[in-house]
Amino acid sequence: MLSGFHLCCSLLAFIIYGVVLHVHELQSAPFSVTETPGPITVPMGKDVVLPCHFSPEQSMQDVEVIWFREEFSPFVHRYKEGQDQYGEQMLQYQGRTELLKDGLTKGSVDLKIFRVQLSDRGNYTCFVRSGLDYDEAVVELKVTASGSAPLIALERYQDGGIQVACRSAGWYPQPQVLWQDPRGRHLPSLLESVTQDKSGLFAVESSIILTRGANQKLSCSVRHALHSQEQGSAFYVSDPFFQNAHPWMIALGVVVVAVVALLIIAVYLFKIKGKHERKIAMQEAALRDCDAEIEKQAEELAWRRYAVPIEEVKVVLNPDTAHCDLVLSDDCKSVKREDTRQDIPDIPERFNPWRCVLGCEGFTSGRYYWEVEAVDGGGWTVGVSREDVKRKGEIEFKPEEGIWAVGQWAGRFQALTSPDRTLLPEIQTPNRIRVSLDYEEGRVAFFSVDEEIPIFTFPLASFEEKRVYPWLWLGPGTSLKMWP
């Protein structure tokens, strides 16, 4: 009986040791967010769930979850302190998102989007933070739309046959139009056109010449690009329609001759008037050429005035300010975003969680310029920042926060102004950009070195007598190089 008691005690101690060891392993496991394999595809108008899972499991009262597109704020959805936060939610997602609560205790922070729109397609970042630990994963959402059944229309007589058009609208992505004979063989189209409406949906049209006997019976199908779904229509044209093919061409010839005769008469009647109008047009063209030359000279003067400041600066990047995902070259003249966290101390000077870095040298007076080259990658912004710019937590890239910058942000070239960003659609995104700083005047200007034209000049600013540094932000996979 005593040995049985010892056996029970030993078994109980072994179970307690296993539980303690398991808890210790959970506590010591690295915090991570799981990547989703492959994109999520959903038809337009349906609901979709974007998966995201983190480990180890945490108390959701201490966990913050942010789903966002290209920037933290405004966000797609935010969950903090045990409840949803809607204060800075993007307008297009208001009333359309829900963080699924059923899996929170198991580390699941899936996001449901209701009534998916075409504009919802793209990359979503799932950012999870618990205390000082954080990680993120990207989920790609693809949106499809299946259009209407093809509409068949007999257009005109042409080349001894009948031109037939096949039309369909409401597709995404761009579909494929196929003509087939009764045996299922594909036939080449005569003309094809593709248009896209304001919402991004595609409309397609394809034409073919139908001849008597050879292909009086055909079918037209519009096939989805991402899967095998398609819409089709078949038709048949009887012999009587072909009897008018050649007479119609004769009638067309008569009409053309009549039109040409009318044109000759019109030219004769307006000949004198035309000479006078040509003289006026030549004078107006001369004035336009003069105005264009004056404008070109003004642009050149602006380029020389602001693109050639007094002193050229050789910018060296400060590794103590670089986010732990940014890797600097040995000479600290280049930086690349690796998205692999380096084992370096999170000192107060270092940016976290934004992937930013400052130059070593700051300015409190004078006039300077330097150049930055985008070697490869997607998103990036370059400019200047005050020395008191926030280094930790959420940062808004705008002058009120001490940042003056332009760059390729959210897939568009823009100036990071406030309260709204300034899009620069007329400027081709440069490979090398020049940053110009006039401290006393409070001027921050940017120029395209590729085309030697001004890009954007911020309204005159007050730097509050604080030191101003070169500043960079890098998107995923981006590399930037400082010149000279």
Side-chain angles (χ1 to χ4, degrees), residues 409-426:
W409 183 276
R412 294 175 290 185
F413 190 57
Q414 54 188 285
L416 306 187
T417 52
S418 177
D420 299 318
R421 304 286 167 78
T422 301
L423 299 180
L424 304 170
E426 71 281 359

Side-chain angles (χ1 to χ4, degrees), residues 284-441:
E284 292 178 347
L287 290 175
R288 287 195 298 269
D289 292 341
C290 183
D291 292 340
E293 183 64 26
I294 293 173
E295 184 178 354
K296 181 178 180 181
Q297 292 177 359
E299 291 180 354
E300 185 175 354
L301 288 175
W303 166 258
R304 293 184 178 182
R305 167 65 177 86
Y306 296 116
V308 189
I310 294 175
E311 184 176 350
E312 182 182 42
V313 179
K314 296 183 178 181
V315 175
V316 176
L317 301 176
N318 186 349
D320 290 337
T321 66
H323 185 276
C324 59
D325 287 350
L326 301 183
V327 179
L328 274 61
S329 60
D330 293 339
D331 60 359
C332 293
K333 299 282 288 182
S334 300
V335 57
K336 183 176 182 180
R337 176 169 169 176
E338 295 284 0
D339 284 335
T340 301
R341 193 175 305 174
Q342 303 177 83
D343 186 15
I344 54 179
D346 188 15
I347 57 179
E349 294 83 0
R350 192 178 310 283
F351 285 93
N352 189 9
W354 287 94
R355 277 73 171 181
C356 303
V357 61
L358 298 179
C360 290
E361 181 183 2
F363 312 102
T364 56
S365 63
R367 196 161 165 231
Y368 311 91
Y369 81 91
W370 59 93
E371 296 176 359
V372 185
E373 181 182 3
V375 180
D376 55 63
W380 52 267
T381 57
V382 301
V384 301
S385 74
R386 288 198 311 260
E387 60 182 341
D388 60 343
V389 68
K390 287 179 62 177
R391 311 293 176 92
K392 308 297 182 184
E394 298 181 14
I395 308 172
E396 294 190 50
F397 297 166
K398 59 183 181 180
E400 289 84 348
E401 298 296 328
I403 295 176
W404 294 262
V406 301
Q408 185 74 7
W409 183 276
R412 294 175 290 185
F413 190 57
Q414 54 188 285
L416 306 187
T417 52
S418 177
D420 299 318
R421 304 286 167 78
T422 301
L423 299 180
L424 304 170
E426 71 281 359
I427 303 295
Q428 182 177 357
T429 304
N431 292 323
R432 187 184 296 188
I433 192 168
R434 177 172 294 180
V435 185
S436 174
L437 170 67
D438 189 331
Y439 191 95
E440 282 80 5
E441 191 175 354

